[in-house]
Amino acid sequence: MIPCRVAIIELVLKKNEVRMEPSEAEFRGVTSCINAAAVLCAVGMNKLENVLELNGAFTGSLVALILPPLFEIIGKKKTNYKIDNDTLILNIVMILVGCYTLITGV
């Protein structure tokens, strides 16, 4: 719950939870939305098997194919390290392959 809430507050509201920038209403609203989404998912998926299948499929593709090239691109950009075109194209292809396997389940 906490990492999800922190990420949503930072990405959507553009506020830092550690510095207590969001108001109490924003904090409670984000928490309530996360809890409602969790309940809706739990009601919609009546078998734990389905949840574990989705989690495994999503996490496998994300960790193996999408995140490493994404981290390389972002890391080199933040350190002002020049990315050559071949490396950039290869990283983008890997991200696209990861998204394809994530969507199609291949």
Side-chain angles (χ1 to χ4, degrees):
M1 168 65 105
I2 293 173
C4 184
R5 181 177 52 224
V6 170
I8 290 174
I9 287 174
E10 286 186 10
L11 290 174
V12 176
L13 301 177
K14 306 282 191 231
K15 295 183 178 182
N16 191 339
E17 185 184 9
V18 176
R19 295 182 187 151
M20 301 181 79
E21 290 176 352
S23 68
E24 187 174 343
E26 292 170 331
F27 183 83
R28 288 181 186 223
V30 169
T31 304
S32 299
C33 289
I34 293 170
N35 285 331
V39 168
L40 290 175
C41 288
V43 169
M45 296 188 182
N46 52 3
K47 290 184 180 179
L48 182 60
E49 176 184 353
N50 296 341
V51 175
L52 294 176
E53 285 177 1
L54 284 174
N55 186 24
F58 179 77
T59 307
S61 296
L62 188 68
V63 169
L65 298 172
I66 298 173
L67 289 180
L70 192 62
F71 286 158
E72 182 178 13
I73 291 171
I74 292 171
K76 286 183 178 179
K77 186 176 180 182
K78 284 191 175 187
T79 59
N80 292 328
Y81 186 82
K82 184 167 174 26
I83 304 173
D84 57 342
N85 288 336
D86 294 338
T87 304
L88 184 62
I89 291 171
L90 181 63
N91 283 332
I92 291 173
V93 167
M94 285 298 296
I95 292 171
L96 293 175
V97 167
C99 291
Y100 175 75
T101 59
L102 185 67
I103 293 169
T104 61
V106 174

